[in-house]
Amino acid sequence: MIPGILATAVLGALLAPVQAVYSDEAFAVDWQLSSIGDYQCVFSNKPLEDDQLVVLSQYGADETLVTQLNETSGGVLVRYTVPLAVSDAMFVADAGQLVLKSAGDYVSLDLNSGLLVDNATADVSKSDSFSFVSSCVAPESQYKIATEDGSPVLSVSDKTMDAPIFKVQLPEQFNEISYFYTDFADSLRFVVSGDDSQYTYFNYTNGGANLTSTWTRDESLVDIVDSAFCEVKDLSINEVIAEMCDEMDSSNVLSAYFLRVSTNFNRAKTYMKKYQYSPGRIITAILKDNDLLGGHNEERARKRDLRFGLTKLLLVATKNGRLAALDISKQGKIVWNVKTSLTNIISLHYDPYSRVILVIDENGTAAKYGLMDEFVAPVGQQTIQLDVSSTSKIVKIKKLDVNDHTFHLTFADGTRQIVESVKNAPAVSNYFVTDHTEHSVNGYMVSNNKLIDTWSISTKENEKIVAFAARNSDDVVNVGNVLGNRTVLYKYLYPNLVSYAVVDVAENTLYVNLIDTVTGQLLYSQRHDNETVDVTSPINLVFGENWYVYSYFSSEPVPEQKLTVVELYESLTANERKSNPNITEYNPLNGNLNKPEVATRSYFFPEIIEEMVVSSTKYSITSKAIIVRLENGQITFIPKFVLNARSKEEELMSDDDKKEFMASPYIATIPINDHFIISHQRELMMGDNSKLVSSATNLESTSIVCEVGKDVFCTRIYPSGQFDVMSPTFQKFQLMGTIFIIFVILYYMRPAVATKKLKLLWLVKD
């Protein structure tokens, strides 16, 4: 009992210092864009709530999203899905129910609980007196829309006298009235749908003279299918580059030196002139520029974020042909939003060197945009047709690493092809591609942009591949793990590795294979025959530098979500290295590939895992983290050192084991730490195309994590803590004051020390 409690305490102590988002940054550096989609039905649920609108929209093929909006601000209050494709709805205020019409049948929804009414006596749609009257159709008899001076105008007249009560001008991009209410006296409220899924709410009084509240929601980014990160350039560096170029153009070193001195002198002169040569103002400005006097300067914070690589754009493409950029450092503000000529987009690619955005649809049509300025919408769309040989739809696109203009396409009929997005691009050769279907893993060699079959692995008839991951291509910082006794376990760092998970749907078993992508050779296999795997639950797999982690749900012997980590080493014997360190590139076709030696451990996890991804940092010095999206919609992460394949029970750990870096005893259950719930209490709605993505910043400690799907959510995580960032509460002024006092003390003590040294030389006593 005691060792278990002690082990839990040790693990808690290790986890506590590492926070996902610090308390002063929660809801400041993270943000969420909540999408609803095209409004099918809008109505007010008075008298249940006085300031709410209820919106019905499509969510998937067979689901409907019910959203309650704040009528004053347009903010999302509550969202939930109904497993029905709803065509119409009727609000019954007395019963607090929403009667949904689906496939000619009526089903009632309790708006208070968000649950379908399963009690026939309580269901208003089952009563004999029920008569369906739609609440989704705006009553056109209550208003008129006319055109005056080329602009649409909405007018409301008295029913008896036909006297005008309200007359308001509508937006130019007006399509239809989605919601309308008036008391024919002093209140007029309506929602206008405009072009590009823009919905605007208006609340007028006094005959339309007073606009008491208004808001607009952009619902054009509702079904995002792909995304990419775009670095924002720091333009202030251009001045430095220009000065360095001038120095390099100097005839000799002396003239370059005088050029630098004169440049810095002019810069200092300009700075002093700005503050009228006042020492007090200059010192105050310096202290403010360095945050020594407190306060917040938005422009300075923006420059700091640029320097640290925290200012990025998230480029997103929607299925219906939208291409947009979201400013990650400004709460997901939509920087620009353009409509492409494509539909059914499946892929987005961004080349940071040529600054070209390429979106491709399922028919092989591509739209190319040149990004001159990150914050200006790209213009000059170039539409091209890829040279595809198949008439089938494209289901997957992979950009080849060796060339920014060559893509590997996979079609719905199983065929594959290499295509170019640029004419006369250099042909790709001697490049190996690994792809998979539900029942096979296939290896190809690319030669002159042609695919040559090299090997194939097929599953049995009752088996299917449910997860697939290639080895992470991030930089390798350490070639081995240093043990507590200062010996080394060398990592297995062979780059051409792929792991895939296979389930037997008849036996409910799981096995995970590790193979060489060049030859297809099986290097390691791990089977789970002694437990019953729930093949209907998500199975995920991620691959780091010398390890891979997979998750699955086991229904027997005990229903539990499990995480298994597999670590690959050249040898499990310390200081034994089988590879030749002098060979930088190894050709597996020559044979004699050393197989890895493996350490593995399994852990229990409290929640079902829907998706996993590995965090990314600039130099890969920071400990990796496994970012996971849970079935309940929350996003959390697990530091890799917690998932240690070589961990031991506390009573089995030696003194050397305890000295190892980040060593902790093996605890079978990994608890969910509240500090690691990076989505906080947010309710995220994710569609079928949702994807977790991670991007590095210029701060090695910091990684940007986004979940992109129906909603967009982004935040920052610090897997090893903010070791390269000072806390906002850091006492800079006290530090500078202490340094100044030390200098003063040293200045006055220097003569006394010199006198003492002189007396010692002349043997003079004090």
Side-chain angles (χ1 to χ4, degrees), residues 669-688:
T669 300
I670 300 176
I672 295 181
N673 191 316
D674 290 342
H675 289 297
F676 287 71
I677 303 295
I678 60 179
S679 54
H680 311 298
Q681 74 264 29
R682 298 180 186 274
E683 295 182 2
L684 306 179
M685 300 290 291
M686 297 302 162
D688 296 334

Side-chain angles (χ1 to χ4, degrees), residues 225-298:
V225 294
D226 204 2
S227 63
F229 289 97
C230 172
E231 297 282 350
V232 177
K233 285 189 175 182
D234 185 1
L235 299 180
S236 63
I237 199 68
N238 293 339
E239 182 181 353
V240 178
I241 294 175
E243 292 178 3
M244 294 180 64
C245 291
D246 291 339
E247 291 179 9
M248 293 179 64
D249 292 339
S250 301
S251 57
N252 52 61
V253 176
L254 188 60
S255 60
Y257 173 76
F258 280 116
L259 177 62
R260 176 171 297 188
V261 171
S262 61
T263 302
N264 290 335
F265 176 78
N266 291 331
R267 185 180 288 116
K269 184 179 178 181
T270 303
Y271 189 82
M272 289 187 293
K273 183 179 180 180
K274 178 180 178 181
Y275 296 102
Q276 301 175 355
Y277 301 99
S278 171
R281 292 178 180 177
I282 293 174
I283 293 174
T284 302
I286 293 174
L287 293 176
K288 285 184 177 180
D289 287 342
N290 291 275
D291 293 332
L292 295 175
L293 294 181
H296 176 74
N297 186 301
E298 186 174 345

